[in-house]
Amino acid sequence: MTVIDEALTRLRQGRAEAPGPIGEEFRSHGIGFAAIGGPLEARWDQAVAELGACVGALGDGDAPVLSEGGVYRGSWIESTGTISAEVLTRFAPTVARETFLQFARHQRDDGLIPYKVTADGEAFTQIQIVTPLARSVWNHYLLSGRDRGFLAAMYGAMSRNDTWLAVHRDTRGTGGVEAFCTFDTGHDLSPRFWFAPDRCYRGDAARVDPASPVLPYIAPDLTANIACQRAYLALIAEELGDDPEPWRRKADASLTALWRECWDAADETFYDRAKDGAPVRIVSDVLLRVLACEVGDDDVFGRALERYLMHTGRFLAHYGFTSLAMDDPRFDHDFRRNSWAGPVNFLALLRVPQAFEAHGRVAELGVASMPVLSAVALADRFPQCLDPWSGEAGFTEVYSPSILWFLDAIERWTGILPRPDGDLWFTCLSPTRLDHGAAARAVASSRTIDGVHFESAADDDEVVVLRDGAVHVRFPRGWRVVTDRSGELRSVVCVAAGAVSGQLLRGSESIPLTLSPNERVDVRGLDVVSRSAPGFVAPHA
């Protein structure tokens, strides 16, 4: 028996299931994971169990929803209600749906969506938006069966919230979106907001302190959020039979304001513009936030990789992307508190794929992800923050963004990942080379899609994908094979940091390929129809 056979046998044996809605949804979607050797399997079991602990009703008679976890009791729109619910859709779509809808149900009469919902009710003292809600809603809609009633309810709520923001958060008439306090962007303790209050003036999200020496900021991340939000509201409007053009014009206006007010061409990054019109020259994860909102073309993203994101003196620590540039004298790597002044934050890491994958930069993402996966595999809990130097777990525990990051990473790099566009990703960057005892000898994953049960098992050399128990395709470590939902081949992508040569085998047929990092080969059957490669940026000082 090969180690791949061992992993498949282990996968099929089954283990104790998590109780409650999470266990039910994992079971109904055939989601499983097994590892031969190392701590990954135990950590996956812990992740599923603790994700279940983050799900429950906030009030009597309410449906179960996702909570932030750790010290955070309730659901936050910047995280739980957007990127976390979007990722959760792949694992527990019913819980994700209710998590989205609670923000529409608790919307204020004037259109403002609460920044959080807890057992004590909704809160409105800041806006606290990061990931575009409309994109998360749209992706949930595509992944979970196209529930038009859900889409219409969320569209109405998001449209009203857009009006509220346009009325109250553009006091300077620039077309940008303004930050009135630190918590508007969730940047606790960041030097970005030194000498700014934590909350909006007198607890009113529509008011900025008139005595503030620096606020309001024209905020690039808030402005990018709304630009992306409006682009997806156009898609939703079109899907529901409404006119998408007004939303597209608004999205274009927001993008124009972003580039005009916040882009620094010399530094090739985005800065807040303070009350006096001066740029706030602090380089933080604002750059990644803007890029994750689909701002900028491939050239802009490539320059960001070269100058900032893959630079080990700026954002790329060994254990993830830092929340402040490491060469800033204000950088503070203290990971034992809720801080965006330097440490690696899992909420930021959960958002990162939306920037990298959009530009085909999967190899760089893989390089940055593997040490973090090793750290999580060896940690004693799922924290909010990591020490960027050692990978040690920091602030809080049972934190749903880090739990979801881990589950996403297993699927993204060594499993089966369904996409909103209808594609399936089968990836083999198997965790057989993790450091410090975290590596497995082989791993296996499973997922049922449209009634078809897929299994994927990999060792250090190759992966075999099975469709209803029969071998479907085999390919070497370092590739991602993309199919449609029925399993028909679409493309092969190199996710490794070096060139990978091998055979793509399907039944008795095969095709030899050599792919460079990030190279994509589109196929029809086993015939190559096109090739493209954006290049690769290695970690550098």
Side-chain angles (χ1 to χ4, degrees), residues 221-259:
D221 46 350
L222 298 182
T223 304
N225 174 294
I226 295 307
C228 187
Q229 174 90 352
R230 288 170 165 176
Y232 278 86
L233 283 169
L235 290 176
I236 295 170
E238 193 167 34
E239 179 77 1
L240 294 173
D242 289 346
D243 183 2
E245 289 307 316
W247 287 118
R248 290 180 180 139
R249 289 193 293 270
K250 289 179 179 181
D252 288 344
S254 294
L255 277 175
T256 298
L258 172 67
W259 288 100

Side-chain angles (χ1 to χ4, degrees), residues 297-310:
D297 58 16
D298 290 344
D299 289 339
V300 168
F301 193 78
R303 289 294 299 147
L305 289 174
E306 288 276 2
R307 194 160 180 180
Y308 295 104
L309 302 180
M310 298 302 288

Side-chain angles (χ1 to χ4, degrees), residues 289-483:
R289 291 181 174 198
V290 172
L291 295 172
C293 288
E294 305 177 23
V295 171
D297 58 16
D298 290 344
D299 289 339
V300 168
F301 193 78
R303 289 294 299 147
L305 289 174
E306 288 276 2
R307 194 160 180 180
Y308 295 104
L309 302 180
M310 298 302 288
H311 195 301
T312 59
R314 290 190 165 167
F315 281 104
L316 185 60
H318 187 62
Y319 290 99
F321 297 103
T322 57
S323 47
L324 195 75
M326 289 178 278
D327 59 356
D328 189 312
R330 293 159 291 197
F331 177 84
D332 178 5
H333 95 299
D334 186 352
F335 59 101
R336 300 186 185 280
R337 56 182 176 169
N338 171 22
S339 171
W340 291 80
V344 174
N345 272 264
F346 271 103
L347 182 50
L349 296 185
L350 192 62
R351 298 169 181 141
V352 163
Q354 294 185 320
F356 280 70
E357 298 277 11
H359 297 279
R361 297 295 191 149
V362 292
E364 289 92 345
L365 182 60
V367 167
S369 298
M370 288 301 110
V372 181
L373 184 58
S374 178
V376 176
L378 296 169
D380 63 348
R381 62 190 184 279
F382 288 97
Q384 174 183 328
C385 300
L386 281 184
D387 182 343
W389 315 141
S390 70
E392 182 182 347
F395 182 68
T396 204
E397 60 187 349
V398 196
Y399 182 61
S400 63
S402 57
I403 294 168
L404 288 164
W405 182 90
F406 177 75
L407 294 173
D408 175 86
I410 293 294
E411 283 205 336
R412 188 172 298 276
W413 302 119
T414 188
I416 306 156
L417 195 156
R419 296 285 298 162
D421 61 6
D423 284 348
L424 301 181
W425 289 355
F426 301 92
T427 308
C428 185
L429 200 62
S430 47
T432 50
R433 303 178 190 179
L434 302 182
D435 290 329
H436 310 300
R441 292 170 54 224
V443 294
S445 301
S446 65
R447 179 180 274 279
T448 301
I449 299 166
D450 298 337
V452 177
H453 190 62
F454 290 96
E455 296 168 306
S456 169
D459 59 13
D460 195 52
D461 297 315
E462 68 167 350
V463 62
V464 56
V465 176
L466 297 96
R467 187 176 186 274
D468 283 337
V471 174
H472 183 50
V473 292
R474 303 178 81 107
F475 55 92
R477 186 185 192 276
W479 290 358
R480 168 180 292 161
V481 167
V482 181
T483 77

Side-chain angles (χ1 to χ4, degrees), residues 19 45 62 125 157 184 198 208 218 223 247 297 355 361 434 494:
D45 289 344
D62 290 347
T125 55
D184 272 343
D198 284 344
V208 63
I218 304 170
T223 304
W247 287 118
D297 58 16
R361 297 295 191 149
L434 302 182
C494 183

Side-chain angles (χ1 to χ4, degrees), residues 107-113 124-127 129 157-170 177-178 180 184 200 204-207 230:
Q107 185 173 34
R108 213 163 60 182
D109 289 344
D110 66 354
L112 181 61
I113 287 176
F124 298 94
T125 55
Q126 64 251 16
I127 57 173
I129 54 175
M158 292 184 293
S159 299
R160 292 188 293 274
N161 191 66
D162 183 88
T163 299
W164 189 96
L165 289 167
V167 169
H168 297 289
R169 287 305 185 99
D170 184 20
V177 181
E178 295 166 351
F180 288 179
D184 272 343
C200 293
D204 183 352
R207 302 179 69 185
R230 288 170 165 176

